[in-house]
Amino acid sequence: MQKGYIFIALILLGFASANFYEIDKEFTLSTFDSRAVSSWNLVGFQNSVTNVCGGVSVVGGPNVVATGSMTKTFNTDFDLTSINILFDLYLFDQWLSGWEGGRDQQSYFKVLVNGKQVHQLGSDYTRQLHKDASNICGQTTPDRQTHVSIQVPVTGRNFTVSLQANIAGNNPSLASWGIRGFYILTSYGANNAKTVVSELSNDSQFDVSNWTSSFKNAVSSCPNKILGGYKNAGSGAWATRKLTNLPPHSFLTISINAFFVDSIDTNDSIVFYVDGKIVHEETRQYFLSSQNICGAGWADNVNNKFVFQVPHFTSTAEFKVYVNTDQGSDDESFGFRDFSVSVDSPCPIIYEEANQQGRAFSFCGDIPNLKLVGWTKPIKGIYVPEGYAIKVYVDSQFKGKRFKVSKSNFNLTGQEYKLINRAFNIDVNETKLRRNE
């Protein structure tokens, strides 16, 4: 029998599982082909189904899909109350939405759950946010990479997700879309999430000292205090908040109460970033509200609580809010309050460097060979969620002697360093072992 340590799935000790359970995790490898999409029903896809863009594979992309959809039904063995859907969305080339060139382009990306629309996003090619983006693939024109994160009430043990796009002209060589890093999470077991920030919720102690912004004045009222607001946070305005000393985690959950003031149109959005990457976008229309609460004479859309998640591993993070409107701050403005961030770690995490530094990778199932996910360097640290353990077998096919890892270690050395790496089929010879390389 072939020797060599083989890693197997987690053991649950008691009932101390992390708050978020991964129902699905797809399209996270650096490269994949059409076989990765075999369980989905694709409509409107052409040619190779997948594409390589910016050095990584995406489902869809230039010359693959414009107007089209991908749909899949998911099943669980326990009852659901809600799900969280997360994925990276790419809007390639001349993706127009809203009123452009004298006509309504009507190009939108939508998410449906059980046939009901739960999210919609458009992107104007001529708007500054898109024009400032870099070219990823396709034409030599800017592309936008964004992130979708939505929470949807779901009951029962199965549900269907459909990702759909309607692109004016329906020519994938001119405008297309793609996705990667697709997750579906749900709450399951004990809540081990840790709140690391909770602020801007008390009008008498509305402390904005941790925020840096381009707002003309930091605080206004609508009628409660908000950061930004009328004549303060208009087109191109931004605010940032840095987070440090975060505990081990594989997801950030961000909650914020958003205020859309005055004549916000369908092609206006508020964009949220973490570490320079878009993690969420929201649009609101002024006419959806029937009351003028603050600002000028238009109706306002206030008290919008957004909760979104993003895969994240490092001990620091920078959160940013960007106002993506196209008129002055006395016509369209934005503000927010009730900001909170929590961290969650539903699965073990391995680190490329000691003390949670360098590249990180989270896993919830069997991984006999890390090369399958593009990882070749030795592991210097490992995080094991409370209540879990990892079984490692000496022989292939999960047989022979085994040992158990039930505690985190962010600075692996000696025999444990050697065994953990060999468990993931990473050979560390004696020279490397002595040097801890």
Side-chain angles (χ1 to χ4, degrees), residues 38-188:
S38 60
S39 60
W40 291 75
N41 179 35
L42 306 179
V43 176
F45 281 66
Q46 307 171 17
N47 304 319
S48 62
V49 178
T50 63
N51 221 317
V52 176
C53 294
V56 295
S57 293
V58 299
V59 179
N63 298 311
V64 175
V65 62
T67 296
S69 65
M70 51 188 298
T71 304
K72 182 175 179 177
T73 297
F74 300 88
N75 298 284
T76 67
D77 56 2
F78 53 89
D79 292 328
L80 298 163
T81 57
S82 67
I83 57 172
N84 294 70
I85 302 173
L86 294 69
F87 58 92
D88 290 327
L89 171 64
Y90 294 77
L91 308 177
F92 295 111
D93 299 323
Q94 300 184 47
W95 182 298
L96 301 168
S97 64
W99 192 263
E100 296 289 346
R103 65 190 182 95
D104 193 352
Q105 300 290 334
Q106 291 296 323
S107 292
Y108 296 107
F109 181 88
K110 302 177 181 181
V111 180
L112 289 78
V113 175
N114 292 334
K116 182 180 179 180
Q117 181 176 319
V118 295
H119 185 74
Q120 177 173 299
L121 181 68
S123 175
D124 291 326
Y125 173 74
T126 55
R127 293 286 292 280
Q128 197 63 40
L129 190 64
H130 196 142
K131 289 195 296 184
D132 288 344
S134 60
N135 171 254
I136 302 175
C137 68
Q139 300 181 40
T140 58
T141 50
D143 305 309
R144 285 197 56 209
Q145 180 182 354
T146 186
H147 182 76
V148 175
S149 173
I150 49 177
Q151 186 177 56
V152 184
V154 170
T155 58
R157 298 191 173 191
N158 59 76
F159 56 91
T160 300
V161 176
S162 183
L163 312 180
Q164 302 180 4
N166 178 76
I167 299 180
N170 192 21
N171 184 345
S173 67
L174 297 179
S176 59
W177 58 279
I179 73 159
R180 62 171 283 113
F182 183 88
Y183 294 82
I184 298 181
L185 312 177
T186 190
S187 298
Y188 184 70

Side-chain angles (χ1 to χ4, degrees), residues 302-324:
V302 303
N303 290 315
N304 299 274
K305 184 177 181 180
F306 301 143
V307 179
F308 46 93
Q309 295 172 305
V310 59
H312 189 271
F313 300 98
T314 60
S315 59
T316 63
E318 182 177 76
F319 178 74
K320 179 180 178 180
V321 177
Y322 179 82
V323 183
N324 186 40

Side-chain angles (χ1 to χ4, degrees), residues 22-47:
E22 288 185 359
I23 294 177
D24 189 59
K25 178 180 179 181
E26 299 184 70
F27 318 132
T28 58
L29 301 183
S30 297
T31 58
F32 52 80
D33 56 28
S34 59
R35 290 173 294 182
V37 202
S38 60
S39 60
W40 291 75
N41 179 35
L42 306 179
V43 176
F45 281 66
Q46 307 171 17
N47 304 319

Side-chain angles (χ1 to χ4, degrees), residues 213-220 227-229 231-233:
S213 77
S214 66
F215 299 168
K216 292 180 180 179
N217 292 293
V219 180
S220 63
L227 183 54
K231 291 187 176 181
N232 292 337

Side-chain angles (χ1 to χ4, degrees), residues 186-321:
T186 190
S187 298
Y188 184 70
N191 187 349
N192 288 344
K194 298 178 181 179
T195 300
V196 293
V197 172
S198 182
E199 60 192 21
L200 306 182
S201 299
N202 189 329
D203 280 7
S204 63
Q205 298 177 344
F206 202 78
D207 183 8
V208 299
S209 60
N210 290 318
W211 289 83
T212 301
S213 77
S214 66
F215 299 168
K216 292 180 180 179
N217 292 293
V219 180
S220 63
S221 296
C222 189
N224 296 109
K225 287 184 178 180
I226 59 175
L227 183 54
Y230 180 59
K231 291 187 176 181
N232 292 337
S235 178
W238 53 266
T240 62
R241 170 72 156 90
K242 292 185 177 180
L243 308 174
T244 58
N245 299 318
L246 298 176
H249 62 280
S250 47
F251 292 96
L252 290 180
T253 300
I254 299 168
S255 176
I256 194 167
N257 195 0
F259 290 67
F260 297 83
V261 181
D262 297 330
S263 64
I264 303 295
D265 304 310
T266 56
N267 63 336
D268 296 316
S269 65
I270 306 303
V271 187
F272 303 98
Y273 296 79
V274 170
D275 296 336
K277 295 182 179 180
I278 296 176
V279 296
H280 193 66
E281 296 187 57
E282 279 288 341
T283 59
R284 284 292 186 274
Q285 297 168 293
Y286 73 92
F287 53 80
L288 292 178
S289 175
S290 59
Q291 187 176 3
N292 176 29
I293 298 173
C294 59
W298 290 280
D300 309 302
N301 195 269
V302 303
N303 290 315
N304 299 274
K305 184 177 181 180
F306 301 143
V307 179
F308 46 93
Q309 295 172 305
V310 59
H312 189 271
F313 300 98
T314 60
S315 59
T316 63
E318 182 177 76
F319 178 74
K320 179 180 178 180
V321 177

